[in-house]
Amino acid sequence: MNAGQPRPYELLYWPSIQGRGELIRLVLEEAGAPYVDVARLPESEGGGVAAILRVLKGRTGAAPFAPPILRHGDLLLWQTPNILAWLAPRLSLAPTDEGGRLTANALALTLADFLSEIHDVHHPIGVGLYYEEQKAEALRKARCFAAERLPKFLGYFERSLSDNSASNGKYAVGASLSYVDLELFQLMAGLEYAFPRTLATLRPTLPRLGELAARVAARPRIAAYLASPRRIPFNQKGIFRHYPELDQPGDRPG
Ligand SMILES: N[C@@H](CCC(=O)N[C@@H](CS)C(=O)NCC(=O)O)C(=O)O
């Protein structure tokens, strides 16, 4: 590393999906921070999935259970909200007061809960099974998700925005953009990909979330990132997957 140049952050995340790693990438991209997406490098340069497995299997003591993992010098961090709670303040993408930091963390943890539920719509029975092996259960899960959980979580985040008088409903916490807003952008983008019909029925009740997502997408660094090859397209391997049969807003739970 050249003297005077900041040490790049090293993100370790599955190379073919956005997944939870995307929440870290968006913060690094918005900040213009130097980083290496390690597993997307060729194995001959120390990358690939092998790079992740080396960290998962090679560490004793407190060790990551799963990616995303962030490495910076001797520091190794895992659990997405934990990584964000450390990284975002360093990059001026978190509230500066303690109350604001804790509120941001609480929202990030709630979003993490929601992400797990979104994943479980297409994998309600077993992570190790293919979707095709759990389609009937996925259909039941999708009905409950669309009728109950999706509106409940999105309504909660919409209220978090509209109740934030410090920014007149523009941002989730405090008076300026934070990592939580980037997370909410990613959430809306993912839901638009996975559940476009269901989301369309809810959109009239979610004006703040819609405006926030558009505002984040238009930020110069985010717009450049989204248009770049660094942004992995949504696909059928990540958390957000589009199975038309699971996107039926009119279905009754049953
Ligand atoms: N709570 C963890 C969840 C981590 C997680 O589930 N990572 C996924 C990819 S997004 C994974 O690789 N899981 C492997 C496993 O659960 O065995 C976080 O927020 O970072």
Side-chain angles (χ1 to χ4, degrees):
M1 193 175 57
N2 294 340
Q5 283 190 345
R7 179 200 293 271
Y9 296 94
E10 292 178 280
L11 173 66
L12 290 122
Y13 193 70
W14 305 122
S16 57
I17 58 171
Q18 293 184 14
R20 290 176 176 87
E22 197 65 10
L23 304 175
I24 319 290
R25 290 191 188 104
L26 285 168
V27 166
L28 293 163
E29 291 283 347
E30 169 60 27
Y35 76 102
V36 183
D37 209 336
V38 179
R40 293 178 75 186
L41 297 173
E43 281 202 22
S44 58
E45 292 174 29
V49 168
I52 300 174
L53 299 181
R54 271 197 297 278
V55 175
L56 291 180
K57 295 182 175 167
R59 195 170 150 112
T60 52
F65 175 76
I69 298 162
L70 190 75
R71 194 162 52 199
H72 195 58
D74 292 336
L75 193 64
L76 194 71
L77 293 169
W78 60 94
Q79 286 287 356
T80 311
N82 191 42
I83 297 172
L84 292 168
W86 177 80
L87 180 66
R90 292 171 65 95
L91 301 177
S92 303
L93 283 169
T96 49
D97 61 301
E98 186 181 38
R101 291 260 177 103
L102 292 169
T103 301
N105 191 41
L107 289 170
L109 288 162
T110 308
L111 198 133
D113 292 343
F114 190 25
L115 282 183
S116 291
E117 292 202 22
I118 293 167
H119 170 272
D120 288 354
V121 171
H122 51 77
H123 273 73
I125 301 296
V127 177
L129 300 175
Y130 289 109
Y131 165 63
E132 288 70 23
E133 296 174 279
Q134 45 195 315
K135 281 181 82 164
E137 293 89 350
L139 201 55
R140 288 192 73 191
K141 182 89 177 173
R143 289 178 180 137
C144 294
F145 176 78
E148 296 155 15
R149 303 303 283 171
L150 184 62
K152 184 167 183 177
F153 274 104
L154 289 181
Y156 170 79
F157 288 124
E158 177 71 18
R159 276 196 309 283
S160 302
L161 286 166
S162 56
D163 289 352
N164 181 19
S165 54
S167 72
N168 234 338
K170 232 175 132 187
Y171 303 113
V173 193
S176 55
L177 183 87
S178 76
Y179 68 97
V180 178
D181 302 307
L182 301 176
E183 289 199 291
L184 291 174
F185 156 76
Q186 178 65 10
L187 176 69
M188 294 303 281
L191 290 172
E192 179 65 46
Y193 171 76
F195 302 101
R197 297 182 61 215
T198 310
L199 191 61
T201 65
L202 291 174
R203 272 199 184 278
T205 66
L206 307 169
R208 302 279 191 192
L209 276 172
E211 285 161 20
L212 173 70
R215 214 176 313 116
V216 169
R219 292 182 71 85
R221 284 180 176 153
I222 296 293
Y225 169 62
L226 297 178
S228 80
R230 297 192 303 285
R231 171 81 162 179
I232 299 166
F234 286 109
N235 59 44
Q236 299 297 75
K237 290 180 284 180
I239 295 171
F240 296 102
R241 301 187 192 185
H242 180 59
Y243 296 113
E245 64 275 22
L246 301 185
D247 181 27
Q248 304 291 344
D251 278 5
R252 289 171 52 79

